[in-house]
């Protein structure tokens, strides 16, 4: 079989409606992302019913635009790759139904794709990127997940660990809300931390040494305690600017604590499993301090997605679609969504 493919990717697992055409798993021909972030900012997080309703409104124009910008019709597409999970059930359904309808009408094969796997494959969406050298270690740090996996070859994962409570991105979002910095929290914390002292507050690091798991709840409580110390009258859940708080120092100290643990544990696992390279993907992989620290400390290559592809997009769904199409995957037109689908058992 020829290794050349042209895949249409569709993504609606959370608050981005996205479609993309990718050739050979690497070359992005079109990449359309309609973000709902502004819509959800008023709630301080993603509001599921609002998200699915917006996906319904935007999915047709987004997919049509991705095909139009790629100057292709469905007859030039080898497969439709769509996010099947994990994610919000009501949002996933919109993308999967769209993909099923198109597959039925065009006869083009349908491929259900795991969103976390797609985040890992976003690192290879760069034309100059070398082929992966296995085994490699993958860290997915997104709004919903923190997952550490060992990848022995393409499409093959052994789960080492993950978060026991909040995902890394979720921790960023919650602390940003606590500091009155708005949603999404990751970029807001990164900006607020500029000029702050990362050692101002010695926040706890949960090393959980006997495992490859992560926990950010103790850190979250420690930040809350500091905020309360400065603002004893703080009401839980109230999202207002907080005059008098040392925002830059709090943000920098929080960010440093998250980065320390993510980098420390990933590098330790890489050494233990003799990984040849490390992939770091998902929304939090856009974080500047995280990137810098990995690059400074790691003796082996660390690969990140291009900044624009760290957060949710459909190019990464099409990138996995390429590998899965070549591996022979073809899904039936009655597949269901899998809101809690793990990357590996
Ligand atoms: O991968 P993603 O777009 O969505 C999920 O699959 O969950 O990740 C979104 C998460 C949000 O929690 C957001 O705050 C975080 O990624 N994020 C960041 C940065 N940019 C986005 N976290 C830290 N630093 C950033 N620069
Ligand atoms: Zn994601």
């Amino acid at each position: 079989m020829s290794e050349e493919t042209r895949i249409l990717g569709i993504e609606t697992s959370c608050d981005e409606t996205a479609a993309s055409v990718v050739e050979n798993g690497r070359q992005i021909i079109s990449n359309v992302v309609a973000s709902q972030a502004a819509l959800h900012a008023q709630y301080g997080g993603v509001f599921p019913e609002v998200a699915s309703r917006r996906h319904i409104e935007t999915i047709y124009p987004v997919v049509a635009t991705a095909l139009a910008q790629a100057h292709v019709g469905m007859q030039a597409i080898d497969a439709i790759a769509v996010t099947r999970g994990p994610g919000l059930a009501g949002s996933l359904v919109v993308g999967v139904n769209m993909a099923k309808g198109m597959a039925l009408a065009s006869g083009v094969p349908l491929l259900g794709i795991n969103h976390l796997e797609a985040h890992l494959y976003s690192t290879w969406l760069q034309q100059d990127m070398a082929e992966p050298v296995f085994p490699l270690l993958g860290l997915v740090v997104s709004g919903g997940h923190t997952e550490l996996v060992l990848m022995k070859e393409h499409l093959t994962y052994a789960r080492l660990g993950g978060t026991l409570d909040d995902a890394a991105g979720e921790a960023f979002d919650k602390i940003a809300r606590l500091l009155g910095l708005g949603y999404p929290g990751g970029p807001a914390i990164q900006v607020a931390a500029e000029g702050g002292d990362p050692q101002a507050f010695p926040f706890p690091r949960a090393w959980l040494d006997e495992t490859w798991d992560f926990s950010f709840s103790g850190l979250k409580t420690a930040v809350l305690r500091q905020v309360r110390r400065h603002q004893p009258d703080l009401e839980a859940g109230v999202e207002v600017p907080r005059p008098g708080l040392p925002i830059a120092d709090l943000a920098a100290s929080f960010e440093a604590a998250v980065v320390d643990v993510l980098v420390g544990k990933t590098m330790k696992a890489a050494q233990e499993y003799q990984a040849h390279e490390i992939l770091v993907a998902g929304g939090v992989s856009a974080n500047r301090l995280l990137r810098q620290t990995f690059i400074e400390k790691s003796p082996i290559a660390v690969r990140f997605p291009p900044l624009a592809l760290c957060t949710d997009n459909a190019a990464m769904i099409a990138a996995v679609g390429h590998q899965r199409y070549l591996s022979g995957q073809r899904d039936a037109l009655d597949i269901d969504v899998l809101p809690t689908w793990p990357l590996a058992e």
Side-chain angles (χ1 to χ4, degrees), residues 113-159:
I113 300 295
N114 183 298
H115 181 89
L116 302 175
E117 179 174 40
H119 271 303
L120 287 176
Y121 274 78
S122 68
T123 50
W124 288 303
L125 281 165
Q126 310 175 57
Q127 306 243 19
D128 53 354
M129 168 77 95
E131 285 300 314
V133 184
F134 299 107
L136 57 82
L137 209 75
L139 174 70
V140 181
V141 272
S142 70
H145 293 85
T146 305
E147 292 282 313
L148 193 59
V149 295
L150 183 67
M151 209 175 159
K152 292 204 172 131
E153 54 186 295
H154 273 301
L155 310 178
T156 310
Y157 312 89
R159 184 179 192 270

Side-chain angles (χ1 to χ4, degrees), residues 151-187:
M151 209 175 159
K152 292 204 172 131
E153 54 186 295
H154 273 301
L155 310 178
T156 310
Y157 312 89
R159 184 179 192 270
L160 303 182
T163 187
L164 301 177
D165 36 60
D166 288 345
E170 201 176 355
F172 270 95
D173 293 336
K174 285 182 177 168
I175 295 303
R177 201 179 324 162
L178 181 68
L179 300 180
L181 297 173
Y183 174 85

